[in-house]
Amino acid sequence: MATSKRGREKKLRIVVLGGGTGTFTVLSGLKKYPLDLSAVVSMADDGGSTGMLRDELGVLPPGDIRQCLVALSTSDRTMRALMNYRFSSGRLKGHSFGNLLLSALEKITGSFDKAVEKASEILRLRGKVIPATLDRVRLVARLKDGRVIRGQSMIHDHNLHHLKKITLDPKGKANPKAMTALRTAHAIVIGPGGFYSSLVPTFLISGIPQAIRKSRAKKIYICNLMNKAGHTDGFTVKKFTEKIEEYVGGTIDYVIYNNKRPSASLITRYAREGERLVEPGPHLPRTRFVGADLISKKFPKPQKGDVLTRNLIRHNQDTLAKLILAVAQ
Amino acid sequence: MATSKRGREKKLRIVVLGGGTGTFTVLSGLKKYPLDLSAVVSMADDGGSTGMLRDELGVLPPGDIRQCLVALSTSDRTMRALMNYRFSSGRLKGHSFGNLLLSALEKITGSFDKAVEKASEILRLRGKVIPATLDRVRLVARLKDGRVIRGQSMIHDHNLHHLKKITLDPKGKANPKAMTALRTAHAIVIGPGGFYSSLVPTFLISGIPQAIRKSRAKKIYICNLMNKAGHTDGFTVKKFTEKIEEYVGGTIDYVIYNNKRPSASLITRYAREGERLVEPGPHLPRTRFVGADLISKKFPKPQKGDVLTRNLIRHNQDTLAKLILAVAQ
């Protein structure tokens, strides 16, 4: 419950779990409300700028953390643009400034946790950003034919139809701050986000599923809009929910999903890359399914290097925030 | 004069001119007093991290500006450490974080001037840091034998005994903000600093010597402690002062110089690299010479990559500040 005897003083505590664009969207929407907001963020990224920093400096992956920091920052536009700025030439090419900030702070303070705290101060955060683990974990996928794919960015680009097992190496231990946030939350929001690139790597951390199960929070899952080719082909909302419940080892209370079809031309564009709209499928008995038009009408400016379709069908942050608050109260 | 009819409301306006460690020391000392403090900073650096950023990103040189920002910052120790942090491995090796901050801000805001303003805000500056010029200048030395040495870092390491002429290419125009600061100052503090690496490149900017001459400010020169081999061998305090007056085209009102000999062992260590103590020499008629023990008793922690001797004989920031204020009032 959000209200205590002292009434309005006690804010609703919401923890958002994930990483990547989906989590950015949810946080950006929720930030506008007077909440006690935290993000528990996936720490398995090893691609691009983040991957180079892991390899060359031996730091923890800053990329997903950076995006959540930007989402919750109350600093001006220049500061947020600075965090996302990517150098485009020379030896710095591809590095995001925010990643460099987090890595330099990790080196100076000697701890990624302190680095995130300091960056939160610099960016005047409304809310908290919490690395799900402080261990140096790598995602590893074992296929049925015996092949082993190491690293989240490799796995992201690989077909996982014949996945046998996905693990973290080493098996990371949950950041105690993440455990506390999950245990004391009024609501835990899972996703949206890449199933094998944001959600599963977080559920695989020892202590995270346990903390979710033990928490008296309402568990809210926000289902993806599109299925990723080679990863979640043919997944319905029901199938996604069942898979999440499998990893968590407990029940999801609410599923928020999209029930609006985008234009045929947009669907065709996605289909060319093998990505299809997530269909609702039948509901599950113990879970409340909340269907709504979740698709953003705003088309974000395409960024250099983005796959075209990534920009076109995405969640509307304000609709998501309203629905989350409606079920979380 | 510092006091108006409204008494204490009007602060003494002091402009420090230069770049490098000497200017850092002066600013750090003066920062502790309630002054209206500005630094007009040399923009000819092209070595190390700064040089790579100039070449690879096409930005203006951030190095000297960064040091002045750190000197005037009222942020906590972590923030100042962050600005000076150097990456030590991978493709980022050698880059100072503060340089990357200024370069990224220049790219985002489209102007180095705005970048410095934004960085000043982030670092909660007590005072102003002003690039002497916003033109992309390079220092060029022509020797009597016809050889031409291009770039401040090359010139820094070169013997200039047979210097014919030193110029900027292109001949930079003074930043209007620098002109205003110099013209409206109560006192202009020149140096200490590398004669050919910090002071001359600033005097060569079109408009800077004129603004100094036109200003009713007291002109105070802080003489270096040691002579740099190949650059200022045998320079006395008098010779330094005459050379500065030559470049400025006007009289220096006060010269603050060191009259204390360091230990024989320290002098011997410097002598091994050809660097010798600056001797006072005779005074000049129109200038007041203020001699004092200016040498810092604190030995700063050696930094990786520093030439050993650079750390041993340096100015005491508090003594300098007191002497500057005594003559500037």
Side-chain angles (χ1 to χ4, degrees):
Chain A
M1 289 297 293
T3 47
S4 70
K5 279 180 190 167
R6 288 185 299 158
R8 297 170 64 95
E9 280 177 38
K10 203 169 171 188
K11 288 181 187 164
L12 195 68
R13 283 194 296 276
I14 298 190
V15 175
V16 179
L17 198 138
T21 317
T23 303
F24 179 88
T25 305
V26 171
L27 293 173
S28 302
L30 288 176
K31 182 175 70 167
K32 298 165 192 166
Y33 295 87
L35 301 166
D36 180 338
L37 196 55
S38 304
V40 168
V41 185
S42 165
M43 291 290 285
D45 188 13
D46 55 13
S49 163
T50 289
M52 289 190 277
L53 294 170
R54 285 186 79 151
D55 292 346
E56 297 183 0
L57 306 182
V59 293
L60 282 164
D64 283 312
I65 293 283
R66 183 195 84 243
Q67 289 198 51
C68 293
L69 288 170
V70 173
L72 293 182
S73 170
T74 63
S75 292
D76 62 21
R77 213 157 67 164
T78 308
M79 274 310 277
R80 284 177 287 130
L82 177 64
M83 288 297 284
N84 282 332
Y85 175 73
R86 273 185 205 277
F87 291 98
S88 59
S89 57
R91 299 188 312 159
L92 294 164
K93 191 171 175 174
H95 275 304
S96 125
F97 180 82
N99 290 355
L100 301 183
L101 172 71
L102 285 162
S103 298
L105 282 172
E106 180 178 348
K107 291 288 187 181
I108 290 167
T109 62
S111 121
F112 190 67
D113 209 28
K114 281 189 194 146
V116 176
E117 264 178 33
K118 188 67 198 173
S120 304
E121 203 184 283
I122 297 171
L123 291 162
R124 297 182 201 151
L125 236 59
R126 176 166 299 157
K128 278 205 258 335
V129 172
I130 307 169
T133 179
L134 295 169
D135 296 331
R136 281 155 221 286
V137 295
R138 293 266 183 187
L139 199 60
V140 180
R142 277 161 225 279
L143 305 186
K144 286 176 186 155
D145 62 8
R147 276 185 298 163
V148 177
I149 309 153
R150 287 182 197 279
Q152 183 190 298
S153 63
M154 293 296 286
I155 291 168
H156 181 270
D157 296 335
H158 210 283
N159 189 311
L160 299 180
H161 285 172
H162 302 289
L163 180 68
K164 188 178 166 198
K165 200 172 182 185
I166 190 156
T167 52
L168 288 178
D169 177 29
K171 188 158 176 53
K173 231 177 60 202
N175 180 352
K177 287 186 188 169
M179 305 269 280
T180 305
L182 290 167
R183 269 204 306 257
T184 60
H186 296 113
I188 298 171
V189 179
I190 298 168
F195 187 73
Y196 288 114
S197 48
S198 294
L199 299 187
V200 167
T202 311
F203 295 138
L204 290 175
I205 295 165
S206 166
I208 296 284
Q210 294 83 343
I212 298 175
R213 286 199 303 268
K214 272 191 197 160
S215 176
R216 295 174 60 196
K218 292 178 183 166
K219 285 93 183 182
I220 304 166
Y221 170 54
I222 312 214
C223 192
N224 290 357
L225 300 174
M226 304 300 291
N227 274 315
K228 180 169 161 52
H231 280 211
T232 60
D233 305 76
F235 274 33
T236 56
V237 175
K238 172 174 177 271
K239 176 86 180 275
F240 265 114
T241 310
E242 285 170 334
K243 289 289 259 178
I244 299 279
E245 289 187 334
E246 218 176 286
Y247 277 100
V248 171
T251 314
I252 296 293
D253 300 307
Y254 294 87
V255 174
I256 296 173
Y257 71 97
N258 172 55
N259 62 9
K260 163 88 178 177
R261 297 192 79 78
S263 72
S265 71
L266 261 186
I267 290 182
T268 311
R269 270 164 104 161
Y270 268 78
R272 266 186 232 131
E273 300 194 23
E275 310 212 344
R276 294 196 162 73
L277 204 65
V278 175
E279 304 289 346
H283 291 178
L284 290 163
R286 283 175 309 179
T287 303
R288 240 190 97 190
F289 283 73
V290 182
D293 174 2
L294 299 185
I295 297 174
S296 176
K297 304 296 174 281
K298 281 187 214 149
F299 285 175
K301 257 200 287 188
Q303 301 286 311
K304 222 169 139 182
D306 268 355
V307 177
L308 178 66
T309 48
R310 270 191 64 195
N311 290 304
L312 300 175
I313 307 185
R314 52 167 70 193
H315 282 99
N316 179 318
Q317 52 172 261
D318 296 321
T319 313
L320 279 189
K322 273 182 207 148
L323 289 171
I324 291 167
L325 290 178
V327 301
Q329 305 274 0
Chain B
M1 288 298 290
T3 47
S4 70
K5 279 180 189 164
R6 288 185 298 158
R8 298 170 64 94
E9 280 177 36
K10 202 169 169 187
K11 287 180 185 166
L12 196 67
R13 283 194 296 276
I14 298 190
V15 175
V16 179
L17 197 138
T21 317
T23 303
F24 179 88
T25 305
V26 172
L27 292 174
S28 303
L30 289 175
K31 181 175 72 167
K32 298 165 192 165
Y33 296 87
L35 302 166
D36 180 339
L37 196 55
S38 305
V40 168
V41 185
S42 166
M43 291 289 286
D45 189 12
D46 55 12
S49 162
T50 290
M52 289 189 277
L53 294 170
R54 285 186 77 150
D55 293 345
E56 298 183 1
L57 306 182
V59 293
L60 282 164
D64 283 312
I65 294 282
R66 182 195 84 242
Q67 289 197 52
C68 292
L69 288 171
V70 174
L72 293 182
S73 171
T74 63
S75 293
D76 61 21
R77 213 156 66 165
T78 308
M79 273 310 276
R80 284 178 286 130
L82 176 65
M83 288 297 284
N84 283 331
Y85 175 74
R86 273 186 205 278
F87 291 97
S88 59
S89 57
R91 299 187 313 160
L92 294 164
K93 191 171 175 174
H95 274 303
S96 125
F97 180 82
N99 290 355
L100 301 184
L101 172 71
L102 285 162
S103 299
L105 283 171
E106 181 179 348
K107 291 288 188 181
I108 290 168
T109 62
S111 122
F112 190 67
D113 210 29
K114 281 189 195 146
V116 176
E117 264 178 34
K118 186 68 198 173
S120 304
E121 202 185 283
I122 297 171
L123 291 162
R124 297 183 201 152
L125 236 59
R126 175 167 299 159
K128 278 205 259 330
V129 173
I130 306 169
T133 179
L134 295 169
D135 296 331
R136 281 155 219 286
V137 295
R138 294 265 182 188
L139 200 60
V140 179
R142 278 160 225 279
L143 304 186
K144 285 175 186 155
D145 62 8
R147 276 184 297 164
V148 178
I149 310 153
R150 287 183 196 278
Q152 183 190 298
S153 64
M154 293 295 286
I155 292 169
H156 181 269
D157 296 335
H158 210 283
N159 189 311
L160 300 181
H161 284 171
H162 302 289
L163 181 68
K164 189 178 164 197
K165 200 172 182 186
I166 190 157
T167 52
L168 288 178
D169 178 29
K171 189 159 176 52
K173 232 178 59 202
N175 180 351
K177 286 186 187 169
M179 304 270 281
T180 305
L182 290 167
R183 268 203 306 257
T184 60
H186 297 113
I188 296 171
V189 179
I190 297 168
F195 187 72
Y196 288 112
S197 48
S198 294
L199 300 186
V200 168
T202 311
F203 295 138
L204 291 175
I205 295 164
S206 166
I208 296 284
Q210 294 82 341
I212 298 175
R213 287 199 303 268
K214 272 191 196 161
S215 176
R216 296 172 61 195
K218 293 179 182 166
K219 284 94 184 180
I220 305 166
Y221 169 55
I222 312 212
C223 193
N224 289 357
L225 299 173
M226 305 299 291
N227 274 315
K228 177 167 165 53
H231 280 211
T232 61
D233 306 77
F235 274 33
T236 57
V237 175
K238 172 174 178 274
K239 176 85 181 274
F240 265 114
T241 310
E242 286 171 334
K243 290 288 258 178
I244 299 280
E245 290 186 333
E246 220 176 285
Y247 277 100
V248 172
T251 315
I252 295 293
D253 301 307
Y254 294 87
V255 174
I256 296 173
Y257 71 97
N258 173 54
N259 62 11
K260 164 86 178 178
R261 296 194 80 78
S263 73
S265 71
L266 260 187
I267 290 182
T268 312
R269 269 165 106 160
Y270 269 77
R272 267 186 230 128
E273 301 194 22
E275 309 213 344
R276 294 197 161 73
L277 203 65
V278 175
E279 304 288 347
H283 291 180
L284 291 163
R286 284 175 306 179
T287 302
R288 243 192 92 190
F289 283 73
V290 182
D293 174 1
L294 299 185
I295 297 175
S296 174
K297 304 295 175 283
K298 282 187 213 148
F299 285 175
K301 255 200 288 187
Q303 301 286 310
K304 222 168 141 184
D306 268 356
V307 178
L308 179 65
T309 48
R310 269 191 66 195
N311 290 305
L312 300 173
I313 308 184
R314 52 166 71 193
H315 283 98
N316 179 318
Q317 53 172 260
D318 295 322
T319 313
L320 279 190
K322 274 181 206 149
L323 289 170
I324 291 166
L325 290 178
V327 302
Q329 305 276 357

